[in-house]
Amino acid sequence: MTHLTDERPADSLTGLTPEAAKELHGLFVVNTISFTAIAVVAHGLIWFWKPWFG
């Protein structure tokens, strides 16, 4: 895991190194896909239990 240091890269607005930014982006993508999958499954289960469109 990449750790932030006190030295900010000169061309970075966030203070993240390119490696740290890629790692953060990867975590964001995985979490977004996981959340979406859970939401789709939950909606499917509710639909089978009680359809909301006749």
Side-chain angles (χ1 to χ4, degrees):
M1 178 176 231
T2 307
H3 297 285
L4 295 176
T5 62
D6 291 336
E7 294 182 26
R8 295 178 70 172
D11 59 347
S12 175
L13 296 174
T14 62
L16 295 174
T17 62
E19 295 81 20
K22 286 180 184 179
E23 184 177 347
L24 182 62
H25 179 261
L27 290 172
F28 179 80
V29 169
V30 168
N31 286 325
T32 301
I33 291 170
S34 300
F35 177 82
T36 302
I38 291 169
V40 167
V41 169
H43 278 77
L45 291 173
I46 296 297
W47 175 263
F48 290 131
W49 173 59
K50 195 173 208 176
W52 53 85
F53 293 120

